[in-house]
Structures are given as structure tokens and as C-alpha cells.
């Protein structure tokens, strides 16, 4: 299951991502926002990141204006690897090298077609493991030290 969320700056792109996930018959839980009215991105980033952090959801997609705020929020949560991507190459690397479990997009940075391509690329790419797993293991060690 994929959880998705946005603020007002990412609302339209979130809707486009949701449509793509429906087309691919992927179960989606949309945690808001539900319209273009101004809201605070941490409120929605928290909802998505918490579910990925606890394992209730396997993956998430977050969208705000630039993607920066959502990235900052999501990466506060243990076990979340949120990657802000601005093009398909970054989306592919986010999975292959970083095994990102949340993809973050900027609604004022990319258009709907780019977002669809990037989400599809991220979903279809495979984590390469090996030396990349060793690097993620170092992050897990840091998490255990910082959050005990
Ligand atoms: C909202 O105006 C904007 O600050 C937000 O969507 C995001 O870009 C923050 O990082």
C-alpha cells in the first residue's frame, strides 16, 4: 500500500500521482490535503511519514511546492528514507542506491507528466543492495544512536 500526501502547493500533483497509482491497480491511501487551500506541510508530511516509519505502509509519496519542506519533515522519522527527486534519473537512483521508501516531489518544480514518469520509474526500479546496503546500515546505526 502506498500512502500519499501534500500541502496546497502539491495538491494538484498529488492528484495526478494518485491517478497513476489507480491506473496501476496499486492500493493508495490519500492522507490529504483535499483542496488547494493553504495548509502547513508538516501536518501532512507527518501523516505519511508516520505510517511508513511504523511499517503500516510500505511506501509513500509526498508533494509540496518545492518538495524541500516535506523532505525535512519525513526524514525526522526513523526508518524513513525520503528522497526529493527533480527528474527521472534522481527518481531511479532514489530506489537503486538509496532504497527510498518515500518519494518527494515539488509541485511547483515539475509538471504532471514528469511526476508520472518519476513515480513509475521509482516504483519499477530495483534496489541494488551490496555496497548501497552497507551505507544504509550506517544510517540505521545512527538512528539507533540518536533516537534511543
Ligand atoms: C508553501 O507555500 C511552500 O512553502 C511549501 O509548499 C513547500 O514548498 C515547502 O517546502
Amino acid at each position: 500500500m502506498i500512502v500519499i500526501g501534500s500541502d496546497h502547493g502539491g495538491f494538484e500533483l498529488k492528484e495526478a500521482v494518485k491517478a497513476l497509482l489507480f491506473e496501476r491497480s496499486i492500493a493508495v491511501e490519500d492522507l490529504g490535503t483535499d483542496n488547494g487551500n493553504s495548509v502547513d506541510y508538516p501536518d501532512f508530511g507527518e501523516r505519511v511519514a508516520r505510517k511508513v516509519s511504523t511499517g503500516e505502509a510500505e511506501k509513500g509519496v509526498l508533494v509540496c511546492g518545492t518538495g524541500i519542506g516535506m523532505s525535512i519533515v519525513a526524514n525526522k522519522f526513523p526508518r524513513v528514507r525520503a528522497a526529493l527527486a527533480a527528474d527521472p534519473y534522481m527518481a531511479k537512483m532514489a530506489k537503486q542506491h538509496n532504497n527510498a521508501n518515500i518519494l518527494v516531489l515539488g509541485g511547483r518544480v515539475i509538471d504532471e507528466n514528469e511526476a508520472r514518469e518519476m513515480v513509475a520509474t521509482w516504483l519499477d526500479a530495483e534496489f541494488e543492495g551490496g555496497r548501497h546496503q552497507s551505507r544504509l546500515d550506517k544510517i540505521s546505526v545512527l538512528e539507533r544512536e540518536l533516537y534511543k
Side-chain angles (χ1 to χ4, degrees):
M1 200 250 294
I2 297 190
V3 283
I4 62 174
S6 76
D7 70 353
H8 54 292
F11 171 67
E12 286 186 14
L13 210 64
K14 169 175 68 69
E15 296 302 301
V17 169
K18 188 162 60 173
L20 170 74
L21 297 175
F22 280 135
E23 284 165 29
R24 293 177 65 129
S25 302
I26 295 170
V28 183
E29 186 179 10
D30 184 351
L31 299 174
T33 186
D34 300 325
N35 56 57
N37 296 338
S38 182
V39 291
D40 297 330
Y41 63 82
D43 297 335
F44 296 89
E46 176 197 348
R47 292 180 188 181
V48 167
R50 194 177 291 282
K51 290 211 175 204
V52 173
S53 180
T54 60
E56 197 178 328
E58 187 197 347
K59 294 189 182 82
V61 176
L62 281 169
V63 194
C64 63
T66 59
I68 295 170
M70 287 297 197
S71 304
I72 293 171
V73 174
N75 281 311
K76 299 290 182 197
F77 286 76
R79 297 170 294 280
V80 164
R81 295 177 300 279
L84 173 57
D87 59 38
Y89 175 74
M90 291 179 75
K92 185 163 77 171
M93 287 301 112
K95 175 65 79 59
Q96 288 185 347
H97 286 191
N98 310 109
N99 202 18
N101 49 17
I102 296 183
L103 184 68
V104 189
L105 305 173
R108 297 173 182 151
V109 179
I110 59 170
D111 65 25
E112 288 188 11
N113 289 332
E114 290 168 322
R116 289 173 62 94
E117 182 182 352
M118 290 161 61
V119 172
T121 299
W122 172 64
L123 289 174
D124 294 341
E126 299 273 348
F127 177 51
E128 291 178 354
R131 68 186 188 281
H132 305 295
Q133 183 61 56
S134 308
R135 292 159 186 164
L136 296 186
D137 291 344
K138 291 192 174 189
I139 297 173
S140 299
V141 170
L142 277 175
E143 280 183 344
R144 285 195 289 275
E145 178 197 324
L146 295 169
Y147 291 98
K148 66 188 171 202

